[in-house]
Amino acid sequence: MQFFWIKLETRSEKAEILKRVIASLKVWPEEKDLYILSIDILNNTDFSIFFDRIMSQINNHSNDTREYSIEPLTSQIII
């Protein structure tokens, strides 16, 4: 996957970017903690879905430095 100008290939690379994105989200700290925990416990298939879902909501063609915001995923993670 290409994120901005960075090519992400391994799960660890994706996890590092995802942690940075999650840190910038406009959500409750507890929800951020849940997302970070999910990175470590999801199997590879679920991690890929989780990663794609969050990253697809971020406009990677934007030049502004605003904080990221995504739709709530907590209910889908807890299920």
Side-chain angles (χ1 to χ4, degrees):
M1 170 182 204
Q2 187 87 20
F3 181 69
F4 290 98
W5 59 91
I6 304 168
K7 185 168 180 155
L8 304 173
E9 295 180 4
T10 67
R11 179 176 173 152
S12 62
E13 291 172 335
K14 290 179 181 180
E16 184 60 35
I17 293 297
L18 197 52
K19 287 177 183 178
R20 291 180 187 191
V21 169
I22 290 168
S24 298
L25 294 176
K26 295 179 184 177
V27 296
W28 291 95
E30 296 81 7
E31 194 168 1
K32 289 180 186 184
D33 292 343
L34 183 59
Y35 293 154
I36 296 293
L37 177 65
S38 298
I39 290 171
D40 296 329
I41 64 173
L42 292 173
N43 66 31
N44 287 337
T45 302
D46 291 336
F47 173 81
S48 292
I49 293 167
F50 179 68
F51 178 82
D52 291 341
R53 181 74 182 259
I54 290 178
M55 300 308 283
S56 70
Q57 297 178 57
I58 297 172
N59 180 0
N60 67 0
H61 300 293
S62 176
N63 290 330
D64 64 340
T65 57
R66 65 179 174 76
E67 291 184 353
Y68 298 120
S69 179
I70 61 169
E71 68 184 40
L73 295 172
T74 307
S75 62
Q76 296 172 13
I77 294 171
I78 295 174
I79 293 178

